């Protein structure tokens, strides 16, 4: 049956860990990813795609600082919007090329997407998400003086020279600002790429105007919100492991297969899924099922098609309805 599926693509869908991030490398990875996406489109599913931007935003921030004497560095929200365009473009072009070859001329479009957050979010009290270049202690002190609004933390052990990094809040996504446009495009059969990099985080100021905020939204949590907005049937989180594991990294490691929401809640509470990587994926899947989704899946890119029919991955489904 034809489904509306929101797919959250992990970092490896665009750049492998050992790569520098040249345009050629990125296009090559995007090509592999799009081949999987196109096979789902051929089944007749409607796709809404979201993606991370960590390595791309990181490189862009380093470029901004390297050119600081000549070109004013742009704030984090604008850099986020730039990477949405950059990555969206690569997917849009690659997918369009493939779809034309398949004689399946579905329109594909990426949008620059703002996501509402609140500065009352607890993460604003103690920011946790590292962004941009690493600094040595003296550099960190200098930056701190020039930019009193920056929070800089030691993120690597004392033995490492460049161990300081700017950290920003990672607030919970509340709502996609462009939700009406996104929903209408999806309803019209357009393949939409939205909320890239978790979306550009924005808040309402005291005059009820939107403005960007220096933060990074987790892309898996943003993906679950996007799934609600488009009324998705399924939420598919694609990463570099084929399933979420219990006792991860120990001899007792075991893949979680199909579990109910209550069973997954219990595993999550037991602390099997690391914060900042698998944790937010599991949380996003649970939220989607709580909202009313049919099935949320965590798996790797190459297992995506099998996972949709229950043959691979970690699948979270609703609890049985009791009388
Ligand atoms: P992505 O770019 O796809 O968001 P992440 O690195 O954020 O990728 O998350 C995937 C990683 O989560 C895996 O490579 C794995 O190392 C890590 N991980 C942490 N806990 C678990 C777990 N319980 N089961 C499987 N993977 C886990
Ligand atoms: Mg991640």
């Amino acid at each position: 049956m034809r489904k509306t599926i929101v797919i959250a693509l992990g970092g490896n869908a665009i750049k492998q860990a050992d790569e520098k991030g040249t345009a050629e490398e990125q296009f090559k990875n995007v090509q592999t990813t799009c081949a999987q996406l196109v096979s789902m489109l051929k089944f007749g599913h409607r796709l809404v795609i979201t993606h991370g931007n960590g390595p791309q935003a990181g490189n862009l921030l380093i470029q901004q600082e390297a050119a600081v004497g000549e070109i004013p560095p742009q704030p984090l929200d604008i850099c986020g919007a730039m990477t949405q365009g950059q990555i969206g473009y690569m997917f849009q072009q690659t997918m369009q090329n493939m779809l034309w070859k398949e004689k399946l001329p579905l329109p594909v479009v990426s949008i620059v997407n703002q996501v509402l957050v609140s500065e009352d979010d607890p993460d604003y009290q103690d920011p946790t998400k590292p962004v941009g270049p690493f600094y040595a202690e003296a550099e960190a002190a200098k930056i701190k003086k020039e930019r009193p609004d920056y929070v800089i933390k030691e993120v690597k052990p004392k033995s490492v020279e460049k161990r300081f990094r700017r950290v920003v809040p990672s607030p919970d996504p509340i709502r996609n600002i462009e939700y009406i446009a996104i929903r209408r495009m999806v309803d019209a059969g357009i393949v939409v790429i939205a909320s890239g990099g978790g979306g550009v985080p924005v808040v309402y100021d005291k005059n009820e105007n939107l403005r960007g905020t220096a933060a990074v939204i987790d892309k898996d949590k943003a993906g679950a919100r996007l799934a609600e907005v488009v009324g998705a049937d399924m939420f598919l989180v694609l990463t570099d492991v084929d399933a979420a594991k219990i006792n991860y990294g120990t001899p007792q490691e075991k893949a979680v297969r199909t579990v109910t929401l209550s069973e997954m809640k219990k595993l999550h509470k037991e602390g099997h899924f690391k914060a900042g990587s698998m944790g937010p994926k599991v949380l996003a899947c649970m939220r989607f099922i709580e909202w009313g989704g049919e099935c949320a899946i965590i798996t790797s890119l190459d297992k995506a098609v099998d996972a949709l029919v229950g043959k691979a991955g970690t699948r979270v489904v609703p609890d049985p309805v009791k009388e």
Side-chain angles (χ1 to χ4, degrees), residues 79-132:
C79 288
M82 285 160 119
T83 64
Q84 285 187 340
Q86 168 193 10
I87 299 168
Y89 155 67
M90 292 192 285
F91 275 98
Q92 214 169 296
Q93 186 187 73
T94 307
M95 218 176 328
Q96 271 159 354
N97 283 340
M98 287 185 177
L99 286 169
W100 276 104
K101 293 223 168 77
E102 297 286 344
K103 304 213 165 31
L104 191 68
L106 289 171
V108 182
V109 74
S110 56
I111 72 158
V112 175
N113 183 192
Q114 307 168 82
V115 173
L116 185 68
V117 299
S118 164
E119 282 176 338
D120 293 330
D121 190 287
D123 225 61
Y124 276 85
Q125 298 307 313
D126 185 20
T128 50
K129 176 76 185 169
V131 291

Side-chain angles (χ1 to χ4, degrees), residues 210-259:
L210 290 168
R211 68 166 168 80
T213 169
V216 174
I217 303 170
D218 176 79
K219 69 118 191 356
D220 298 309
K221 287 187 191 165
R225 277 278 177 268
L226 182 63
E228 297 175 14
V229 160
V230 300
D233 304 299
M234 297 175 107
F235 177 46
L236 184 52
V237 180
L238 299 183
T239 183
D240 55 2
V241 285
D242 65 350
K245 319 270 169 70
I246 53 167
N247 305 312
Y248 180 66
T250 73
Q252 285 76 42
E253 179 177 303
K254 194 167 167 271
V256 181
R257 291 301 172 201
T258 301
V259 286

Side-chain angles (χ1 to χ4, degrees), residues 65 126-156 162-168:
E65 287 210 8
D126 185 20
T128 50
K129 176 76 185 169
V131 291
F134 286 85
Y135 307 112
E137 193 159 8
E139 280 175 289
K142 184 169 165 271
I143 302 256
K144 184 75 207 130
K145 226 180 194 165
E146 288 165 5
R147 303 296 311 258
D149 55 321
Y150 277 23
V151 179
I152 295 187
K153 281 190 185 169
E154 214 168 329
V155 294
K156 284 202 168 175
K162 293 203 173 210
R163 61 181 185 276
F164 294 88
R165 228 174 156 194
R166 181 183 180 198
V167 290
V168 296

Side-chain angles (χ1 to χ4, degrees), residues 262 319-323:
S262 300
D319 289 312
V321 182
K322 294 202 182 94
E323 289 295 311

